């Protein structure tokens, strides 16, 4: 055993358990000091590495469901969306260069705007999505999907097509890019592209969101059984209540379109039980209740929906219900609300020319409606625009041209809504004005056969017109059977030549599609046209 001496004093080595513990403590202190010294030198390097890593930020529990839905292109609950927006707002303040968080924030704003019909969400969505693309110009499919969905929500279908096609070009295997692109092609009347894109979607994905989108395409093609089956499967496979409620609402709409009031009401009520914020389902309840003669309950359902989701389309429907009930002042209140909402939407970049044109044709200035809808047809010649423009031309006294557009809207070969009762009614009334008694009778009968309750205002008009036409002569060609498409018109108008989109390219979102111009203000009546009647009657 070694001995040491200090100034003549002999020091023996320390031994025993207590001595061993003290030696370990001294060693630990020396190690910590060394690590601290190394950390002082290398600390800048560790900080740099941390700043370069993509942060992972799981959403808080209330927002987690909305995050999963938004990321998968599925409907989300309003409460979840609000929580997710609050969560991502905090996140981007703490991590302003997190492109993924900006993309989620933008998509959540788009979805909330769609669910609430509050267009003030859309500028916020655009800022967030463009920020995401500026931070990550490539490999950012989520932001491109968000920009496509935003353009669809604003009814800027050309911009939606450009964004969606860029997203597919960069990531053709990303299935969430396909549904909003299908919406864009539908709005542009490009039915071949709709079918082609749907086929690609269904090869990539067979989940509830894909099935629900397929149902919409099948319904537009007149394949009502296929549409109903797809929505039934989608609702059964959906796991979140808000998602299932949305698919039930769509199934209720299909039941309504085929005139099944009771089945439609059951679907709408089931949707509201699952998601009390499913305002589209509450409007559906209003339609079905009115068809069942429960007018007071119908008005209550409409008013409750409009209080939370003040859609111009809903205001038009409730106004026409009031008008059918002989309540002119209440109808005018809803029509004023429609005009107000259209102006507010236009300030946020939303194109409401279609609904405003439909309103003007029946309750305002028909010539103004024609001008608006001609412009809309030039921009985005979809089936709904063809029907609305044809009807506006009829109301303005231009029946020969009107028939061309009405034929395009009900043309099965071109993908028109051959099972839409309102479209068939419009075509029948135009043909009646042209003294085409046989075709008029066929289309008015088709309208009432498709959905005998399609409008509280226009169904009585259809019945009166059909009665005036009388019974068909014996030699008249029989009407098409239930599965037979309407005959194609040889001189139906072709859509205007599509402008080649300038898809956003390169590194910056500033090169992306331009935002649609705000719709023009309501024109003054044409000279000699005179003021509109307060509440015009349903017949021409």
């Amino acid at each position: 055993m070694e001995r040491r001496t200090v100034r003549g004093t002999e020091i023996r080595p320390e031994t025993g358990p207590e001595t061993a513990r003290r030696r370990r403590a001294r060693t630990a202190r020396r190690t910590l000091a060394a690590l601290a010294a190394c950390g002082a030198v290398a600390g800048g390097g560790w900080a740099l590495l941390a700043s370069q890593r993509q942060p992972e930020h799981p959403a808080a529990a209330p927002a987690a469901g909305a995050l999963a839905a938004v990321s998968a292109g599925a409907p989300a609950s309003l409460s979840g969306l609000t929580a997710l927006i609050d969560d991502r707002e905090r996140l981007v303040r703490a991590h302003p260069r997190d492109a993924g968080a900006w993309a989620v924030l933008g998509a959540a704003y788009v979805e909330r705007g769609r669910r609430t019909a509050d267009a003030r969400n859309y500028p916020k969505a655009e800022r967030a999505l463009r920020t995401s693309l500026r931070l990550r110009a490539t490999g950012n499919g989520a932001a491109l999907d968000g920009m496509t969905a935003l353009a669809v929500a604003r009814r800027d279908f050309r911009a939606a097509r450009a964004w969606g096609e860029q997203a597919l070009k960069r990531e053709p295997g990303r299935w969430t890019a396909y549904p909003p692109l299908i919406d864009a092609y539908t709005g542009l009347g490009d039915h071949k592209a709709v079918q082609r894109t749907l086929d690609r979607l269904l090869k990539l994905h067979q989940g509830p969101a894909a099935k629900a989108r397929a149902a919409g395409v099948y319904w537009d093609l007149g394949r009502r059984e296929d549409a109903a089956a797809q929505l039934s499967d989608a609702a059964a496979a959906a796991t979140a209540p808000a998602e299932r409620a949305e698919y039930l609402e769509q199934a209720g709409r299909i039941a309504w379109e085929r005139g099944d009031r009771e089945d439609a009401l059951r679907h709408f009520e089931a949707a509201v039980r699952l998601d009390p914020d499913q305002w589209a389902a509450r409007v559906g309840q209003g339609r079905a209740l009115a068809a069942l003669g429960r007018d007071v309950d119908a008005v209550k359902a409409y008013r409750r929906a409009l209080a939370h989701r003040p859609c111009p389309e809903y205001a038009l429907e409730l106004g026409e219900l009031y008008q059918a009930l002989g309540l002119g002042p209440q109808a005018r209140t809803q029509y004023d609300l429609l005009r107000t909402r259209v102006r507010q939407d236009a300030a946020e970049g939303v194109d409401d020319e279609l609904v405003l044109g439909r309103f003007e044709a029946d309750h305002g200035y028909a010539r103004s409606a024609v001008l608006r809808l001609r412009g809309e047809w030039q921009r985005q010649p979809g089936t709904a625009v063809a029907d609305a423009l044809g009807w506006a031309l009829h109301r303005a006294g231009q029946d020969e041209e009107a028939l061309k557009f009405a034929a395009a809207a009900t043309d099965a070969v071109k993908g028109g809504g051959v099972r839409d009762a309102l479209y068939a009614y419009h075509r029948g009334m135009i043909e009646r004005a042209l003294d085409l008694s046989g075709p008029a009778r066929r289309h008015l009968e088709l309208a009432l056969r498709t959905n005998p309750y399609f409008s509280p205002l226009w169904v009585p008009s259809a019945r009166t017109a059909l009665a005036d036409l009388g019974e068909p002569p014996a030699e008249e060609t029989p009407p098409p059977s239930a599965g037979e498409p309407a005959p194609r018109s040889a001189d139906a108008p072709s859509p205007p030549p599509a402008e080649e989109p300038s898809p956003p390219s390169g590194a910056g979102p500033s090169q992306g599609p331009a935002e649609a111009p705000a719709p023009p203000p309501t024109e003054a009546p044409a000279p000699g046209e005179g003021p509109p009647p307060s509440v015009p009657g349903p017949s021409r």
Side-chain angles (χ1 to χ4, degrees):
M1 184 178 294
E2 180 184 357
R3 296 181 179 181
R4 290 178 296 164
T5 306
V6 179
R7 291 187 181 182
T9 304
E10 184 179 58
I11 302 176
R12 297 180 180 272
E14 296 177 340
T15 58
E18 186 64 29
T19 300
R21 279 195 295 271
R22 285 197 296 270
R23 276 202 303 270
R24 286 196 296 270
R26 283 196 300 271
T27 301
R29 284 194 296 272
R30 293 190 190 104
T31 302
L32 288 173
L35 288 173
C38 291
V41 175
W46 285 108
L48 178 61
L49 288 173
S51 69
Q52 292 174 338
R53 285 195 296 268
Q54 176 68 31
E56 294 183 2
H57 306 285
L67 175 60
V70 167
S71 301
S77 69
L78 277 178
S79 58
L81 285 169
T82 299
L84 178 59
I85 287 170
D86 292 343
D87 180 81
R88 296 297 113 160
E89 288 278 15
R90 288 191 297 269
L91 180 55
V92 297
R93 283 195 294 270
H95 303 275
R97 299 194 62 78
D98 188 339
W102 281 109
V104 170
L105 177 62
Y109 271 126
V110 172
E111 178 67 1
R112 189 168 73 174
R114 184 189 70 84
R115 289 289 308 272
T116 61
D118 186 350
R120 292 174 297 179
N121 285 277
Y122 297 147
K124 298 175 184 178
E126 184 170 5
R127 283 193 294 271
L129 293 166
R130 289 188 180 276
T131 299
S132 178
L133 287 168
R134 187 172 63 250
L135 293 170
R136 189 191 302 158
T138 59
N140 196 350
L144 292 174
D145 290 353
M147 290 299 293
T148 309
L150 173 62
V152 168
R154 283 172 157 167
R155 285 189 52 82
D156 184 356
F157 296 121
R158 290 196 177 189
R161 177 180 61 187
W163 286 111
E165 288 179 348
Q166 187 195 17
L168 288 194
K169 183 178 179 180
R170 294 189 178 187
E171 295 183 73
R174 183 183 177 86
W175 76 265
T176 53
Y178 288 82
L181 184 56
I182 291 172
D183 291 335
Y185 288 139
T186 301
L188 293 170
D190 191 346
H191 302 291
K192 291 182 180 179
V194 168
Q195 188 63 61
R196 181 176 66 248
T197 308
L198 177 64
D199 291 342
R200 294 171 66 185
L201 167 63
L202 295 178
K203 287 179 181 178
L204 288 171
H205 188 68
Q206 286 285 335
K211 290 180 181 295
R213 195 62 199 85
V217 174
Y218 295 156
W219 181 260
D220 289 342
L221 294 173
R223 296 166 55 184
R224 55 168 58 175
E225 292 80 10
D226 290 338
Q230 289 287 323
L231 276 175
S232 177
D233 291 346
T239 54
E243 182 183 11
R244 188 169 184 225
E246 177 133 336
Y247 302 150
L248 287 171
E249 186 275 328
Q250 293 176 27
R253 245 185 296 155
I254 284 183
W256 166 254
E257 293 285 353
R258 65 173 184 259
D260 192 338
R261 302 171 294 179
E262 293 81 2
D263 189 41
L265 184 58
R266 282 193 294 271
H267 279 92
F268 294 138
E269 288 175 341
V272 170
R273 282 195 298 271
L274 281 169
D275 181 5
D277 294 327
Q278 179 47 257
W279 305 114
R282 292 189 186 275
V283 167
Q285 285 180 302
R287 294 188 199 110
L289 290 166
L292 289 165
R294 296 166 57 183
D295 297 329
V296 174
D297 292 335
V299 167
K300 287 180 180 178
Y302 270 112
R303 290 177 64 86
R304 186 170 183 184
L306 274 163
H308 295 274
R309 191 173 191 247
C311 237
E313 291 87 348
Y314 298 170
L316 179 57
E317 285 190 38
L318 180 55
E320 290 186 342
L321 175 58
Y322 277 135
Q323 189 172 332
L325 295 173
L327 302 173
Q330 291 89 334
R332 285 190 290 274
T333 297
Q334 294 306 314
Y335 298 152
D336 289 342
L337 173 62
L338 181 150
R339 293 188 184 96
T340 299
R341 291 301 302 180
V342 166
R343 285 195 297 270
Q344 292 171 346
D345 285 355
E348 308 297 349
V350 177
D351 178 0
D352 279 332
E353 290 292 87
L354 176 58
V355 66
L356 188 56
R358 288 175 51 212
F359 164 73
E360 290 286 356
D362 285 324
H363 311 288
Y365 304 105
R367 294 182 193 176
S368 173
V370 169
L371 290 174
R372 289 181 181 281
L373 293 167
R374 282 196 195 278
E376 189 75 355
W377 176 258
Q378 290 296 321
R379 288 190 298 273
Q380 32 206 32
T383 300
V385 180
D387 167 73
L389 178 53
W391 185 244
L393 287 163
H394 164 69
R395 300 289 286 186
Q398 302 175 51
D399 291 313
E400 291 186 3
E401 187 181 6
L403 182 56
K404 296 178 182 180
F405 286 96
T410 54
D411 188 343
V413 176
K414 290 188 175 182
V418 295
R419 293 299 181 91
D420 191 292
L422 183 62
Y423 294 179
Y425 164 74
H426 285 165
R427 181 169 179 175
M429 293 297 284
I430 294 167
E431 289 164 336
R432 175 175 174 261
L434 291 168
D435 293 325
L436 301 172
S437 299
R441 186 181 295 105
R442 285 197 298 272
H443 286 105
L444 290 172
E445 288 175 345
L446 176 63
L448 294 171
R449 188 168 61 247
T450 301
N451 182 0
Y453 321 101
F454 67 87
S455 165
L457 191 60
W458 305 117
V459 163
S461 174
R463 295 190 186 281
T464 300
L466 194 55
D468 290 344
L469 287 168
E471 293 297 323
E475 67 273 11
E476 187 173 295
T477 304
S481 63
E484 182 182 346
R488 184 177 184 182
S489 173
D491 57 352
S494 298
E499 297 177 5
E500 286 298 322
S502 301
S505 59
S510 60
Q511 299 176 355
E515 183 178 301
T522 305
E523 297 100 350
E529 189 172 354
S534 298
V535 183
S539 60
R540 184 169 177 256

